[in-house]
Amino acid sequence: MKVVIAPNAFKNSLPADEVAAAIRQGLLQGGYKGDCVCHPVGDGGDGTGALLNHCLGAEVIAATVADPLGRSITASFGWIAATKTAVIELADASGLRLLDPKEYDPLRATTAGCGQLIKAALDRGAAEILFCIGGSATVDGGSGLLKELGVVFLNEKKEPLQQLPADLVSLRGIDRQHSDPRLNATTFTILCDVKNHLLGAKGAAAVFGPQKGAGPDEVRLLESGLKQLRRITERVTGTDINQLTYSGAAGGVAATCMAFFNAKAVNGIDYFLSRTGFEALLKDAGWVITGEGAIDHQTLEGKAPYGVARMAKRYGIPVIGVAGKVPEEEDTALNEYFDWLLPINEQPLPLEEAIRLTRTNLEKTGRKIASTLNSQLDIP
């Protein structure tokens, strides 16, 4: 009986490919004799680009770009020559993981480096861009990215804003006449793992700003800047970016890419599964194992394990969900998609220790799953 192992990353602990490998190792240690097929997945979050590069056979191209605070770094993008497709991971140039926590500064951090990666891909002749936007250090509404691609943000004196995103509150005009024309001929798809809108209590500043170092006053300033960006963008493009689903993703970068470059934002996990041929792997599968750091009711809002489980259920395949944390009480909605939810920690642990033991506990969980599956197959 074939088991398909398709987990997402366990955030701050293990990338998806290592999670899949640990579960497979545990299954083998537990004496499971069936096929174990690993297909780690991403939903647009940090690491999705690397998985797409692997699945699509992309060449990795290095480029010198700015980090979130403007320092020169080497980042990369995936390149598929046959289709002229570039796979760009926002976090590689503008990610929170590039900063020490004491450097978190969302009033100064920008997506400029990511714009430079896009420009490098266009210079190479990109006809398609796959843009994975999780893990950003920014709440700049994509202004840094747009500036690198020729969009100019102006104050009331029609002078360029100097400090993005802090100066967005002074935004009075946007000049797009010199924006890179190559983007008009490029298919631009943004993979998103959250559906938040740009503004408000569930918006980019309020929800994600504190994760990136913003205190209450900074959240208010960022929100004011994004409101002004919304007003001027609507005047220039005719698009109310706050009404767009996914507009709050990655500090608002999805919003302005949709407005200025006709980019299309999509549910990251559904797109990933389709693009990487996951459905074909389900043929003859007896079980699917998926998971990530936590599986709870929010998982059903479009997270990776939900996407995997939903596709498996179309074929009547039972699904095992593994996570560092699962609901203590039965959740009827989750039970529609997950036949078995397994916490990898046998007892409550401090977060740091749980993270340190993730690989070991995933292997233990794999052995536990193997024991159950073997008993179903009458394997001693």
Side-chain angles (χ1 to χ4, degrees):
M1 180 170 62
K2 182 170 76 174
V3 173
V4 176
I5 306 168
N8 195 11
F10 275 48
K11 191 173 182 179
N12 299 322
S13 180
L14 287 181
D17 57 342
E18 294 186 32
V19 174
I23 294 171
R24 181 179 183 275
Q25 183 67 18
L27 286 168
L28 297 179
Q29 290 171 354
Y32 187 69
K33 305 298 183 184
D35 291 336
C36 299
V37 179
C38 290
H39 190 88
V41 302
D43 54 14
D46 194 353
T48 301
L51 293 174
L52 281 172
N53 288 340
H54 176 75
C55 291
L56 302 179
E59 177 187 2
V60 177
I61 306 296
T64 300
V65 302
D67 81 351
L69 298 179
R71 299 169 298 200
S72 182
I73 61 169
T74 298
S76 61
F77 61 93
W79 178 251
I80 306 164
T83 56
K84 296 184 177 180
T85 298
V87 180
I88 295 176
E89 180 106 64
L90 182 147
D92 286 345
S94 308
L96 202 61
R97 58 177 159 82
L98 299 174
L99 304 178
D100 188 275
K102 66 177 180 291
E103 296 179 313
Y104 292 1
D105 189 353
L107 289 177
R108 291 179 53 232
T110 81
T111 50
C114 201
Q116 293 164 357
L117 275 184
I118 292 173
K119 189 173 181 180
L122 293 171
D123 290 344
R124 203 170 182 88
E128 178 185 33
I129 293 172
L130 304 181
F131 190 23
C132 309
I133 63 172
S136 80
T138 60
V139 191
D140 74 342
S143 55
L145 181 156
L146 268 66
K147 181 179 178 181
E148 292 296 322
L149 293 167
V151 178
V152 183
F153 297 88
L154 304 169
N155 62 21
E156 62 183 2
K157 297 180 180 180
K158 297 186 179 180
E159 299 169 337
L161 299 181
Q162 296 302 306
Q163 181 66 66
L164 297 171
D167 288 350
L168 283 176
V169 291
S170 301
L171 182 66
R172 296 297 182 271
I174 298 175
D175 182 353
R176 59 187 301 194
Q177 63 178 328
H178 298 299
S179 63
D180 198 317
R182 296 173 294 181
L183 286 162
N184 296 327
T186 304
T187 301
F188 196 151
T189 305
I190 306 173
L191 280 67
C192 304
D193 63 346
V194 297
K195 294 181 179 180
N196 302 56
H197 288 254
L198 182 67
L199 303 172
K202 295 184 178 180
V207 173
F208 304 112
Q211 299 173 13
K212 303 171 187 183
D217 291 342
E218 291 169 311
V219 167
R220 283 190 286 271
L221 184 57
L222 289 165
E223 179 80 0
S224 296
L226 293 175
K227 285 180 179 178
Q228 191 63 11
L229 180 62
R230 172 202 187 184
R231 282 192 285 268
I232 305 303
T233 296
E234 184 171 12
R235 191 172 76 196
V236 171
T237 69
T239 300
D240 181 353
I241 54 177
N242 190 52
Q243 296 302 311
L244 302 174
T245 304
Y246 308 113
S247 59
V253 71
T256 48
C257 284
M258 286 189 276
F260 284 90
F261 301 142
N262 295 318
K264 180 181 180 182
V266 299
N267 177 275
I269 185 59
D270 289 347
Y271 186 92
F272 182 95
L273 296 177
S274 175
R275 189 70 184 245
T276 61
F278 179 72
E279 192 168 5
L281 290 180
L282 297 178
K283 184 179 180 181
D284 302 326
W287 285 86
V288 168
I289 302 173
T290 187
E292 60 182 359
I295 294 179
D296 53 30
H297 208 71
Q298 290 185 334
T299 300
L300 302 179
E301 295 180 7
K303 297 294 186 179
Y306 170 64
V308 170
R310 187 173 58 177
M311 184 171 284
K313 286 300 178 182
R314 293 179 197 163
Y315 295 91
I317 302 169
V319 178
I320 300 170
V322 300
K325 184 178 181 181
V326 301
E328 295 182 4
E329 298 181 2
E330 188 167 325
D331 188 311
T332 303
L334 285 172
N335 289 346
E336 291 183 25
Y337 297 94
F338 299 95
D339 298 87
W340 188 13
L341 283 175
L342 273 173
I344 66 170
N345 303 308
E346 295 179 352
Q347 57 188 9
L349 294 173
L351 180 60
E352 288 187 5
E353 186 176 1
I355 289 174
R356 181 176 61 82
L357 293 173
T358 297
R359 189 188 306 274
T360 298
N361 287 337
L362 282 166
E363 290 183 5
K364 285 182 180 179
T365 303
R367 292 195 293 271
K368 182 175 182 179
I369 293 171
S371 176
T372 298
L373 298 185
N374 287 342
S375 66
Q376 291 184 357
L377 297 173
D378 296 324
I379 297 174

